[in-house]
Amino acid sequence: MSGRCLEIGLLLYPGVQLAAVYGLGDLFAVANRMAASPEREGLGRLRVSHWQADDDGQVRRVFDSQPQADGAPQVVVLPPCLDAAAGYVLHSAYRDWLARLHGSGVTLASVCAGAFPLAAAGLLDGRTVTTHWALAGELAQRYPKVRVLPERMVVDDGDLVTAGGLMAWTDLGLALVTRLLGPTIAAETARYLVVDLNRESQRQFSSFVPSFDHGDAAVLNVQHWLQGQAMADASLSGMAERAGLGERTFLRRFRAATGLKPTEYCQQVRVTRARELLEFTRQSIDQVAWQVGYRDAGAFRKVFTRLVGVAPGDYRRRFGSAAR
């Protein structure tokens, strides 16, 4: 083997998704294979290690793909876990270890809920990150100093790299291959694994999950009303009347309860319904727009593209089942 050894450590904290751990190992092995051709003499190779806390609370190396090599990891990755709560109670030994590594110049990376341990260690304060779209609100609420961009698949902030949903370990892995071995090796690795190298957004996979547990009965009454046919024709005056409040009072209380202006909330509800119609019916896009409350199909297309990240027609081609 020629070239320098570039170590990527994977942290096996409690609840970690082993499929991602082994999948990352396979992805980096493929990248090494792509980098092994004679004309790439001198290109580095990726070494994969696993790290875990022992009974004494010391984080130690428990696996090494190249045990004969010396050195320490240049990057440590927190893979995803199926239970985000695992990151909330991560042993202090892990948090202290991560803080020491980061302080010594090691790049830290996370996938999905793996961002929570980094935030708990105070390492994400003032930084821009991403996580699974369904966890973004909770991450932002628990750690208000962190700027969360749930629409992004990967956020490379230099010494901190975060990736979105559970399967975004492929995106993170390819981003690290690009950084350590170059874009050509990353492209060849992606081609061999038959995965997309350039996924930038997870908005098209996300869904709007409104808050119903805020305790404001008047606002809740309007939310339930909007989930039905009122969605298509609701106006600010109609919503305020339904709540039994003046418009200014309704605006203030609705935003406090849901985190959104009534117009923004209605857009989310309408686009959610439009996605269902695009996925499961053969209605034209103009018909879908009309059914969810847009009399101007052009305006519908603009709102849909802004919230989902792709145009309605592209969304149907990717996720629609009625035409298959």
Side-chain angles (χ1 to χ4, degrees):
M1 182 182 70
S2 60
R4 63 194 182 104
C5 188
L6 306 162
E7 182 177 345
I8 300 175
L10 306 178
L11 187 60
L12 275 60
Y13 62 96
V16 70
Q17 186 191 29
L18 292 177
V21 172
Y22 296 127
L24 281 167
D26 289 342
L27 186 151
F28 297 138
V30 170
N32 279 338
R33 188 186 306 173
M34 298 299 120
S37 58
E39 66 271 17
R40 287 163 178 165
E41 185 76 18
L43 196 60
R45 298 292 186 274
L46 301 181
R47 168 189 180 188
V48 178
S49 56
H50 296 173
W51 298 78
Q52 194 168 29
D54 59 20
D55 294 338
D56 296 327
Q58 298 296 313
V59 181
R60 303 184 189 279
R61 192 191 307 263
V62 295
F63 168 78
D64 194 332
S65 65
Q66 298 175 23
Q68 72 281 3
D70 297 322
Q74 283 79 37
V75 181
V76 168
V77 178
L78 283 80
C81 59
L82 293 175
D83 180 9
Y88 306 159
V89 294
L90 197 65
H91 195 286
S92 61
Y94 287 113
R95 296 198 299 270
D96 294 343
W97 184 72
L98 290 167
R100 284 198 306 272
L101 287 179
H102 190 243
S104 69
V106 174
T107 296
L108 301 180
S110 68
V111 183
C112 190
F116 282 82
L118 293 180
L123 299 172
L124 300 186
D125 289 356
R127 307 300 290 270
T128 299
V129 307
T130 190
T131 186
H132 193 293
W133 59 265
L135 302 175
E138 188 166 2
L139 182 64
Q141 183 177 15
R142 282 177 175 268
Y143 306 103
K145 295 180 180 179
V146 181
R147 183 178 179 229
V148 185
L149 299 180
E151 70 276 10
R152 295 283 294 279
M153 191 68 75
V154 175
V155 172
D156 188 336
D157 205 27
D159 56 333
L160 292 166
V161 186
T162 53
L166 280 166
M167 295 302 294
W169 60 261
T170 60
D171 304 273
L172 177 69
L174 291 169
L176 294 178
V177 172
T178 299
R179 176 183 288 203
L180 298 173
L181 298 181
T184 299
I185 302 300
E188 292 180 2
T189 301
R191 190 179 305 117
Y192 184 87
L193 294 172
V194 198
V195 295
D196 190 344
L197 181 61
N198 299 307
R199 296 197 305 172
E200 296 181 353
S201 174
Q202 56 176 336
R203 280 186 295 174
Q204 57 196 288
F205 302 102
S206 67
S207 61
F208 176 54
V209 183
S211 171
F212 295 112
D213 58 356
H214 44 71
D216 190 325
V219 171
L220 183 61
N221 181 28
V222 173
Q223 288 179 274
H224 289 324
W225 183 56
L226 291 174
Q227 293 300 131
Q229 288 301 113
M231 162 200 65
D233 301 309
S235 62
L236 176 59
S237 59
M239 288 186 278
E241 182 179 355
R242 181 78 180 187
L245 301 169
E247 288 188 15
R248 292 182 62 183
T249 301
F250 171 72
L251 277 168
R252 175 177 54 80
R253 284 176 54 176
F254 191 94
R255 188 165 191 174
T258 67
L260 296 170
K261 298 176 183 178
T263 51
E264 295 170 336
Y265 188 95
C266 286
Q267 286 177 346
Q268 291 283 4
V269 172
R270 288 168 177 166
V271 166
T272 297
R273 176 58 178 153
R275 289 169 68 158
E276 295 176 359
L277 294 172
L278 291 169
E279 289 176 29
F280 300 113
T281 77
R282 300 176 188 271
Q283 294 181 28
S284 70
I285 292 174
D286 286 1
Q287 289 172 322
V288 169
W290 183 273
Q291 187 164 333
V292 300
Y294 288 91
R295 302 302 176 251
D296 181 348
F300 165 72
R301 286 179 168 85
K302 288 180 181 178
V303 171
F304 188 98
T305 302
R306 176 170 56 82
L307 294 182
V308 182
V310 294
D314 293 332
Y315 183 87
R316 168 170 273 168
R317 280 187 287 274
R318 181 159 192 180
F319 296 103
S321 61
R324 294 178 187 170

